[in-house]
Structure formats: C-alpha cells, structure tokens
Coordinates of all heavy atoms in Angstrom, one line a residue:
Q189 N 42.0 22.3 -68.1 CA 41.4 23.6 -67.8 C 40.1 23.8 -68.7 O 39.1 24.3 -68.2 CB 42.4 24.7 -68.2 CG 41.8 26.1 -68.0 CD 42.8 27.2 -68.4 OE1 44.0 26.9 -68.7 NE2 42.4 28.5 -68.4
K190 N 40.2 23.4 -70.0 CA 39.0 23.6 -70.9 C 37.8 22.8 -70.4 O 36.7 23.2 -70.5 CB 39.4 23.2 -72.3 CG 38.3 23.4 -73.3 CD 38.8 23.0 -74.7 CE 37.7 23.3 -75.7 NZ 38.2 23.0 -77.1
T191 N 38.1 21.6 -69.9 CA 37.0 20.7 -69.4 C 36.3 21.4 -68.2 O 35.1 21.4 -68.0 CB 37.6 19.3 -69.0 OG1 38.2 18.7 -70.1 CG2 36.5 18.4 -68.5
E192 N 37.2 21.9 -67.2 CA 36.6 22.6 -66.1 C 35.7 23.8 -66.5 O 34.6 24.0 -66.0 CB 37.7 23.0 -65.1 CG 38.4 21.8 -64.4 CD 39.4 22.3 -63.4 OE1 40.0 23.4 -63.6 OE2 39.7 21.6 -62.4
E193 N 36.2 24.5 -67.5 CA 35.5 25.7 -67.9 C 34.2 25.3 -68.7 O 33.1 25.9 -68.5 CB 36.4 26.6 -68.8 CG 37.5 27.2 -68.0 CD 38.5 27.9 -69.0 OE1 38.4 27.7 -70.2 OE2 39.4 28.6 -68.5
H194 N 34.3 24.2 -69.5 CA 33.2 23.8 -70.3 C 32.0 23.3 -69.4 O 30.8 23.5 -69.7 CB 33.6 22.6 -71.2 CG 32.6 22.2 -72.2 ND1 32.3 22.8 -73.3 CD2 31.7 21.1 -72.1 CE1 31.4 22.2 -74.0 NE2 31.0 21.1 -73.3
Y195 N 32.3 22.6 -68.3 CA 31.3 22.0 -67.4 C 31.1 22.8 -66.1 O 30.2 22.4 -65.4 CB 31.6 20.5 -67.1 CG 31.6 19.7 -68.4 CD1 32.8 19.3 -69.0 CD2 30.4 19.2 -68.9 CE1 32.8 18.5 -70.1 CE2 30.4 18.5 -70.1 CZ 31.6 18.1 -70.7 OH 31.6 17.3 -71.8
G196 N 31.9 23.8 -65.9 CA 31.7 24.6 -64.7 C 32.0 23.8 -63.4 O 31.3 23.9 -62.4
V197 N 33.1 23.0 -63.4 CA 33.5 22.2 -62.3 C 34.9 22.4 -62.0 O 35.7 23.0 -62.7 CB 33.2 20.7 -62.5 CG1 31.7 20.5 -62.8 CG2 34.0 20.2 -63.7
R198 N 35.4 21.9 -60.8 CA 36.8 21.7 -60.5 C 37.0 20.2 -60.4 O 36.3 19.5 -59.7 CB 37.1 22.4 -59.2 CG 37.4 23.9 -59.3 CD 38.7 24.2 -59.9 NE 38.9 25.6 -60.0 CZ 38.7 26.3 -61.1 NH1 38.2 25.7 -62.2 NH2 38.9 27.6 -61.2
I199 N 38.0 19.7 -61.1 CA 38.3 18.3 -61.0 C 39.5 18.1 -60.0 O 40.5 18.7 -60.2 CB 38.7 17.8 -62.4 CG1 37.5 17.8 -63.3 CG2 39.2 16.3 -62.3 CD1 37.7 17.5 -64.8
R200 N 39.2 17.2 -59.1 CA 40.2 17.0 -58.0 C 41.5 16.5 -58.6 O 41.5 15.5 -59.4 CB 39.7 16.1 -57.0 CG 40.7 15.8 -55.8 CD 40.2 14.7 -54.9 NE 41.2 14.3 -54.0 CZ 41.2 13.1 -53.4 NH1 40.2 12.2 -53.6 NH2 42.2 12.8 -52.6
S201 N 42.6 17.1 -58.2 CA 44.0 16.7 -58.6 C 44.6 15.9 -57.4 O 44.6 16.4 -56.3 CB 44.8 17.9 -59.0 OG 46.2 17.5 -59.1
V202 N 45.2 14.7 -57.8 CA 46.0 14.0 -56.8 C 47.4 13.9 -57.3 O 47.6 13.4 -58.5 CB 45.4 12.6 -56.5 CG1 46.3 11.8 -55.5 CG2 44.0 12.7 -56.0
Q203 N 48.4 14.4 -56.6 CA 49.7 14.5 -57.1 C 50.6 13.5 -56.3 O 50.3 13.1 -55.2 CB 50.2 15.9 -56.9 CG 49.4 16.9 -57.7 CD 49.7 18.4 -57.4 OE1 50.0 18.7 -56.3 NE2 49.7 19.2 -58.5
P204 N 51.8 13.2 -56.9 CA 52.7 12.3 -56.3 C 53.4 12.9 -55.1 O 53.5 14.1 -55.0 CB 53.7 12.0 -57.4 CG 53.6 13.1 -58.3 CD 52.2 13.6 -58.3
D205 N 53.8 12.0 -54.2 CA 54.5 12.5 -53.0 C 55.9 13.0 -53.4 O 56.6 12.3 -54.1 CB 54.7 11.3 -52.0 CG 55.5 11.7 -50.8 OD1 55.0 12.3 -49.9 OD2 56.7 11.3 -50.8
G206 N 56.2 14.2 -53.0 CA 57.5 14.8 -53.4 C 58.7 14.0 -53.1 O 59.7 13.9 -53.8
E207 N 58.7 13.5 -51.9 CA 59.9 12.7 -51.4 C 60.0 11.4 -52.3 O 61.1 11.0 -52.6 CB 59.7 12.4 -50.0 CG 59.9 13.6 -49.0 CD 59.9 13.2 -47.6 OE1 59.9 12.0 -47.3 OE2 60.0 14.1 -46.7
A208 N 58.9 10.8 -52.6 CA 59.0 9.6 -53.4 C 59.6 9.9 -54.8 O 60.4 9.1 -55.3 CB 57.6 9.0 -53.6
V209 N 59.1 11.0 -55.4 CA 59.7 11.4 -56.7 C 61.1 11.7 -56.6 O 62.0 11.3 -57.4 CB 58.9 12.6 -57.3 CG1 59.6 13.1 -58.6 CG2 57.4 12.2 -57.6
A210 N 61.5 12.5 -55.5 CA 62.9 12.8 -55.3 C 63.8 11.6 -55.1 O 64.9 11.5 -55.6 CB 63.0 13.8 -54.1
G211 N 63.2 10.6 -54.5 CA 63.9 9.4 -54.3 C 64.2 8.6 -55.6 O 65.2 8.1 -55.8
F212 N 63.2 8.6 -56.4 CA 63.3 8.0 -57.7 C 64.4 8.7 -58.5 O 65.3 8.0 -59.1 CB 62.0 8.0 -58.5 CG 62.2 7.6 -59.9 CD1 62.2 6.3 -60.3 CD2 62.4 8.5 -60.9 CE1 62.4 5.9 -61.6 CE2 62.6 8.1 -62.3 CZ 62.6 6.8 -62.6
V213 N 64.3 10.0 -58.6 CA 65.3 10.8 -59.4 C 66.7 10.6 -58.8 O 67.7 10.4 -59.6 CB 64.9 12.3 -59.4 CG1 66.0 13.1 -60.1 CG2 63.6 12.4 -60.1
A214 N 66.9 10.5 -57.5 CA 68.2 10.3 -56.9 C 68.8 9.0 -57.3 O 70.0 8.9 -57.5 CB 68.1 10.5 -55.4
R215 N 67.9 8.0 -57.4 CA 68.4 6.6 -57.7 C 68.6 6.4 -59.2 O 69.6 5.9 -59.6 CB 67.5 5.6 -57.1 CG 67.9 4.2 -57.4 CD 67.0 3.1 -56.9 NE 67.5 1.8 -57.2 CZ 66.8 0.7 -56.9 NH1 65.7 0.7 -56.2 NH2 67.3 -0.5 -57.3
W216 N 67.6 6.8 -60.0 CA 67.6 6.4 -61.4 C 67.9 7.6 -62.3 O 68.2 7.3 -63.5 CB 66.2 5.9 -61.8 CG 65.7 4.7 -61.0 CD1 64.9 4.7 -59.9 CD2 66.1 3.3 -61.1 NE1 64.7 3.5 -59.4 CE2 65.4 2.6 -60.2 CE3 66.9 2.7 -62.0 CZ2 65.5 1.2 -60.0 CZ3 67.0 1.3 -62.0 CH2 66.3 0.6 -61.0
G217 N 67.8 8.8 -61.9 CA 68.0 9.9 -62.8 C 66.7 10.5 -63.2 O 65.7 9.9 -63.1
I218 N 66.7 11.8 -63.7 CA 65.5 12.5 -64.0 C 64.7 11.8 -65.1 O 63.5 11.8 -65.1 CB 65.8 13.9 -64.5 CG1 64.5 14.7 -64.5 CG2 66.6 14.0 -65.8 CD1 63.8 14.9 -63.2
N219 N 65.4 11.1 -66.1 CA 64.7 10.4 -67.1 C 65.1 8.9 -67.1 O 65.1 8.2 -68.1 CB 65.0 10.9 -68.5 CG 64.3 12.2 -68.8 OD1 63.2 12.5 -68.2 ND2 64.9 13.1 -69.5
G220 N 65.4 8.4 -65.9 CA 65.9 7.1 -65.7 C 64.9 6.0 -66.0 O 65.3 4.8 -66.1
F221 N 63.6 6.3 -66.2 CA 62.6 5.3 -66.5 C 62.9 4.5 -67.8 O 62.4 3.4 -68.0 CB 61.2 5.9 -66.6 CG 61.2 7.2 -67.3 CD1 61.2 7.3 -68.7 CD2 61.2 8.4 -66.6 CE1 61.1 8.5 -69.3 CE2 61.2 9.6 -67.2 CZ 61.1 9.7 -68.6
R222 N 63.7 5.1 -68.7 CA 64.1 4.4 -69.9 C 65.2 3.4 -69.7 O 65.5 2.6 -70.6 CB 64.4 5.4 -71.0 CG 63.2 6.1 -71.5 CD 63.5 6.6 -72.9 NE 62.4 7.4 -73.4 CZ 62.3 8.7 -73.4 NH1 63.2 9.4 -72.9 NH2 61.2 9.3 -73.9
G223 N 65.9 3.4 -68.6 CA 67.0 2.5 -68.4 C 66.7 1.1 -68.2 O 67.5 0.2 -68.6
S224 N 65.5 0.8 -67.6 CA 65.1 -0.6 -67.4 C 63.6 -0.7 -67.1 O 63.0 0.4 -66.7 CB 65.9 -1.3 -66.2 OG 65.5 -0.7 -65.0
R225 N 63.0 -1.8 -67.2 CA 61.6 -1.9 -66.9 C 61.4 -1.7 -65.4 O 60.4 -1.1 -65.0 CB 61.1 -3.3 -67.3 CG 59.6 -3.4 -67.2 CD 59.1 -4.7 -67.8 NE 57.6 -4.8 -67.9 CZ 56.9 -5.2 -66.8 NH1 57.5 -5.7 -65.7 NH2 55.5 -5.2 -66.9
D226 N 62.3 -2.2 -64.6 CA 62.2 -1.9 -63.1 C 62.2 -0.4 -62.8 O 61.4 0.0 -62.0 CB 63.3 -2.6 -62.4 CG 63.1 -4.1 -62.3 OD1 62.0 -4.6 -62.6 OD2 64.1 -4.8 -62.0
A227 N 63.0 0.3 -63.5 CA 63.1 1.7 -63.3 C 61.8 2.4 -63.7 O 61.3 3.3 -63.1 CB 64.3 2.4 -64.0
R228 N 61.3 2.0 -64.9 CA 60.0 2.6 -65.4 C 58.9 2.3 -64.4 O 58.1 3.2 -64.1 CB 59.8 2.0 -66.8 CG 58.7 2.9 -67.5 CD 57.3 2.4 -67.3 NE 57.1 1.1 -67.9 CZ 56.0 0.4 -67.7 NH1 55.0 0.9 -66.9 NH2 55.8 -0.8 -68.3
L229 N 58.8 1.1 -63.9 CA 57.7 0.7 -63.0 C 57.9 1.5 -61.7 O 56.9 1.9 -61.1 CB 57.7 -0.8 -62.8 CG 57.2 -1.6 -63.9 CD1 57.4 -3.1 -63.6 CD2 55.8 -1.3 -64.2
A230 N 59.1 1.7 -61.3 CA 59.3 2.5 -60.1 C 58.8 4.0 -60.3 O 58.2 4.6 -59.3 CB 60.8 2.5 -59.7
C231 N 59.0 4.5 -61.5 CA 58.5 5.9 -61.8 C 57.0 5.9 -61.8 O 56.4 6.7 -61.2 CB 59.1 6.3 -63.1 SG 58.7 8.0 -63.5
C232 N 56.4 4.9 -62.4 CA 55.0 4.8 -62.5 C 54.4 4.6 -61.1 O 53.3 5.1 -60.8 CB 54.5 3.6 -63.4 SG 54.8 3.9 -65.1
H233 N 55.1 3.9 -60.3 CA 54.6 3.6 -58.9 C 54.6 5.0 -58.1 O 53.6 5.3 -57.5 CB 55.4 2.6 -58.2 CG 54.9 2.3 -56.8 ND1 53.9 1.4 -56.6 CD2 55.2 2.9 -55.6 CE1 53.7 1.3 -55.3 NE2 54.4 2.2 -54.6
A234 N 55.6 5.7 -58.2 CA 55.7 7.0 -57.5 C 54.7 8.0 -58.0 O 54.1 8.8 -57.3 CB 57.1 7.6 -57.5

C-alpha cells in the first residue's frame, strides 16, 4: 500500500487459484508444507 501511495500507481496482483489452494489444504493440511519437501513444493506451486 505504501509503495502504491508513494509512486501514485496500482500494482497488479495475481492470486492463486482458490480450488488449487483448497486441494492442497484438503490433502496436506492448512500448514502441511512443513511435513515434507514435496508438500512444501506443492504449496509453492499452488
């Protein structure tokens, strides 16, 4: 927010797909990324 106000711009936001995040949480848990490297990479991918 401060950056946008400082420079008078809007910075485009790209957000994760909701279904992909929901799928990750359903499989690994809300903080499941700490369970294994594969789980962490799956979270980063989504």
Side-chain angles (χ1 to χ4, degrees):
Q189 178 183 354
K190 184 176 182 179
T191 301
E192 290 186 332
E193 293 172 348
H194 186 81
Y195 295 103
V197 298
R198 280 283 181 264
I199 295 173
R200 180 189 168 201
S201 169
V202 179
Q203 298 173 323
D205 175 76
E207 290 187 4
V209 172
F212 170 84
V213 173
R215 179 178 179 185
W216 302 98
I218 191 65
N219 287 328
F221 41 80
R222 289 205 180 97
S224 70
R225 188 170 186 273
D226 286 344
R228 195 271 292 173
L229 289 174
C231 186
C232 286
H233 184 85

